[in-house]
Amino acid sequence: MGEKVVAGGFDLSDRQRYRRKLQQCLAGLGRLLAQKSFDRPRNLLGLEIELNLAGSDGLPRMMNAEVLERIASKDFQTELGMFNIEVNIAPHRLERRVFDQLAEELRTGLGYAHRKSAELDAGIVMIGILPTLQQRDLVSGNLSDVDRYALLNDQIVAARGEDFVLDIDGVERLTCTSSSIVPEAACTSVQLHLQVTPGRFSDVWNAAQAVAAVQIAVGANAPFLFGRELWRESRPPLFQQATDTRPPELQAQGVRPRTWFGERWVDSAYELFEENLRYFPALLPLCDEEDPLRVLDDGEVPQLKELVLHNGTVYRWNRPVYGVVDGVPHLRVENRVLPAGPTVADVVANAAFYYGLVRALADEPRPVWKRLPFEVAADNFDTACRHGIDAELRWPRPGRTGGITKVPAVKLVRDELLPLAAAGLDAWNIEPADRDLYLGIIEERCRRRVNGASWQVETYHRAVEAGLEREAALAAMTRRYSELMHRGEPVHTWPVGFPPPERA
């Protein structure tokens, strides 16, 4: 990759060679699936969280390299923007007290990272989009100093051939242009991984797609961008537009965006990888020396690096993942729906709700994806992003009468989905105390109709009503958010607004 970056691009033959290699990788994946070579069920989960760096004034700090040097832990890595870092939690077995273990690890790791970052006045803020980011912050000069990010930016810009247009019409409307993909860096998310067998993959992926809207409704935490109040979860439209290689003419033709929800339920992981090759040109046509079919002929397991790399440049909200650990291949579903934050307790509650609900829905004899048209699931996702905790979603009627009904997301969650999630966690053998604690956080959000986005919006408007100008109000809200985030109580307990000044 380094040589390609220095050379400034790719040869005309690189994409054709890469396309042939991708086809070999896909054939190799097909053989592995047919041979049933994949890892046995191990009930493993994984977790990644993207984080923002902000100073005591609430404004972004463009210094992830310096912060990572202070943190000095392999668990923390760079992300796309200089104001981003990412924390990776090692895989855990999904059983017993795993959610309390995750919470303790995250509190310890993030607490340490925040203390080290604060030495540079660049503390950790776990939030979907940092409200104080301005358009002037998201320029190519603030791209992290890592070759792969520069190369990816160059290739997406070249594929588009013109400026990116951001046009998000929400409570307010934002319209602007960008000459780079850096606005994507504003989107900071939680990624939940679940290792599955090939036979189980489609049930889990379909279930994850079906509940993506519900995840957003209860977990929305990104209502502001560039000083504008937009959707309750503004990451999905921003991510799609900031990485869109399609000029308007290709959009009008119905060419698929690289960031997308998808268009159908699936029967296997192979279908999703095959779709990637069929619909999306290579952005990073970097070929490895491995001959995957020869490796298979020799009785070994191929890495399929081209397939993995290409898959990483198609931004599905639920992404298939192929990996090899200790010479054994495995498949994962990577859930990329949720925003970061607000607190560790909220992140772990979101995770418990997701893993329990996906398990229960995947086990159902009449699965929801047989009763819910895919286009309705996609519309639900859009609706949840726009309205968050106040969204009304379409969902199959309970019982055998059939049909689709419209229901408030909070009622759907409390009446139908939380009991399912509890049953799913029981099937994972999660301790009842952990199950009740973390699902209780989701229930209280629904009962009080409060999540990170609603708290941000209400607190911001309190600041405006108190006389602050827009940027000052957003900075004040961000400082208060950060203070409460580090205290750690879940967001439904946060007081709206600001504490009265202390008396002298």
Side-chain angles (χ1 to χ4, degrees), residues 110-129:
L110 293 178
Y112 170 76
H114 181 64
R115 290 192 297 275
K116 302 306 290 184
S117 305
E119 294 173 4
L120 301 169
D121 192 25
I124 302 292
V125 183
M126 189 164 56
I127 194 168
I129 295 175

Side-chain angles (χ1 to χ4, degrees), residues 31 50 162 177 185 198 200 252 291 312 325 330 390 416 436 453 488:
R31 282 177 56 178
E50 295 162 348
E162 59 188 78
T177 61
R200 185 74 162 165
D291 181 335
V325 176
H330 69 264
D390 295 320
E416 186 173 344
D436 295 344

Side-chain angles (χ1 to χ4, degrees), residues 28 32 75 90 109 150 153 187 213 243 283 293 324 366 398 452 467 496:
L32 285 167
D75 294 337
N153 178 70
C187 306
T243 59
L283 288 178
L293 300 180
V324 180
R366 293 181 67 237
V496 171

